Amino acid sequence: MTLLQSLTTELRRGTLTLAVLSQLRKPQYGYSLVQSLEASGISIDQSTLYPLLRRLEKQELVTSSWDTSESRPRKYYVLSEYGTEILQQLKEEWKKTSDELSILLKGEEEDESD
Amino acid sequence: MNLIELYIQEVTRRLPEKSRKDIGLELQSTIEDMLPEDFTEEDVKEVLKKLGNPAVLASGYRDRPQYLIGPEIYDIYISLLKMVLPIAITISVMALVAEKVMGYSGNESVMQVILSVIGKGIWNAISTGMQVFFWITLVFAILERTGTGIAQYSMTTWQKEWKPEDLKDIPYVPKKKAITRWEVSGSVIWTAIWGSLYYYASNLVGVYRSGDNGLELTTPVFNEHVLHSYWPLVVIAILLELLLAISKFRIGKWTMRLAFFNLSTQFIAFVILIIIFTNNQIFATAFMDLLSIVSAGQKELIGAVIIIFGISAAIDVFSGFRKARI
């Protein structure tokens, strides 16, 4: 792994939780979640996603249930009340960070063009 | 189908028993979701490639730490090792020296004993070091796995939250006032050496001549039973010196109180020395006869001993006060 790659992974790691939580307002199973994330351009390593889901469940941010009514049983995940609350706060944090960063980066671009 | 089952098995066998079934089922349905309606073995391979190495996937599921000692307690682990290792090694070497000195039968030459002490001492130091390292590491590894909560709060900082005011409780130790660990172990070793010399005077302290077995002790210096009749005084001196060493270690720098403690310890030791050496019977007659050959008297010898001891004690006391006053 190059330095750029590992820095990028590090940068993305924190946003992953936010991305996953944002897609779980309605129940989703593993693969449907992958698809909806990919639809918005976020490619996520599947070997990271499934363990992440279980971790979120352990942290009580999501709840899970097995749906056996269809041809193949699927495990559905959905935000818990606590998870909805956390998601709201995380979203605000993210907006703040992204605003701050864009100001910083804009300043840097102007410096460059001077 | 076979490949899928093998893949799931490769993942779940690395997981704790209780979560195996659930994760296995979820993986199964996920893999099937990813496959097209009529899939070929090539499709399966493609999907499994996306999921990646089963060992990596399994390690994502495990929440047990994949390290022996984590960053929260690493600091205290290292500082404890640094503190305990030298002490343990010193004690083990001292115990060996004491054992050799006490077990001295007179059959071996002194040189042989010294060589075997050095050889065995190095070996003892290494094996004690490894033992200490192993046990401390084991305790911390267990702590890491069971008591992370405790560890996080009480180990790194020893306090719940650090405040700048905490700095006021930390004693400032200037280099010139500091008492090093080596100084403390040095004085403990010195006490052990003279204590053993006292206890085994008749086997160790005397005039040596080269004989059939290398050096042999021919004439002991002291009258053993006279020398040993002073044992309560000697024990007092040893205890005082050990107590002084412990205080030096705990305080870590020269203070006025410590300097006064040092003064009284040195003074009491000096008085005890004078009491012992002014006894007329302290030297063995055979040794006195030898002395008269080189035309030296008992008085001169005693005087020399007392003066040498007095001067070195005075230097020690003085430097203690000087450092305390900085």
Side-chain angles (χ1 to χ4, degrees), chain A residues 29-32 38 45-48 50-55 57-58 66 72-75 77, chain B residues 19 22-23 25-30 32-35 50-53 56-57 60-63:
Chain A
Y29 55 92
Y31 192 58
S32 72
E38 272 174 358
D45 208 348
Q46 304 207 26
S47 60
T48 316
Y50 302 124
L52 174 64
L53 281 172
R54 287 191 84 88
R55 217 162 23 246
E57 189 185 0
K58 216 174 174 183
W66 279 98
R72 96 172 51 104
R74 278 172 178 152
K75 197 174 187 185
Y77 294 90
Chain B
S19 54
D22 196 58
I23 290 176
L25 275 173
E26 194 183 359
L27 263 181
Q28 173 99 35
S29 84
T30 304
E32 282 166 15
D33 277 336
M34 292 164 82
L35 289 167
K50 262 192 185 170
L51 284 172
N53 189 334
V56 175
L57 183 57
Y61 278 117
R62 257 184 321 216
D63 41 13

Side-chain angles (χ1 to χ4, degrees), chain A residues 41-68:
Chain A
I42 295 177
S43 71
I44 179 171
D45 208 348
Q46 304 207 26
S47 60
T48 316
L49 178 69
Y50 302 124
L52 174 64
L53 281 172
R54 287 191 84 88
R55 217 162 23 246
L56 292 176
E57 189 185 0
K58 216 174 174 183
Q59 290 165 340
E60 294 174 358
L61 296 170
V62 303
T63 52
S64 74
S65 54
W66 279 98
D67 179 11
T68 46

Side-chain angles (χ1 to χ4, degrees), chain B residues 127-185:
Chain B
S127 65
T128 311
M130 291 202 299
Q131 283 269 340
V132 169
F133 181 72
F134 171 77
W135 286 109
I136 292 184
T137 308
L138 183 75
V139 167
F140 273 80
I142 292 172
L143 208 65
E144 175 66 54
R145 271 148 189 74
T146 56
T148 21
I150 315 163
Q152 268 176 357
Y153 285 108
S154 59
M155 300 303 255
T156 328
T157 57
W158 298 95
Q159 271 145 343
K160 278 204 170 163
E161 212 180 330
W162 184 84
K163 300 186 294 300
E165 287 82 50
D166 295 343
L167 287 175
K168 287 179 186 162
D169 301 334
I170 297 171
Y172 171 64
V173 183
K175 262 230 160 101
K176 284 178 184 167
K177 287 179 92 148
I179 301 173
T180 63
R181 225 172 277 155
W182 294 113
E183 214 177 314
V184 176
S185 4

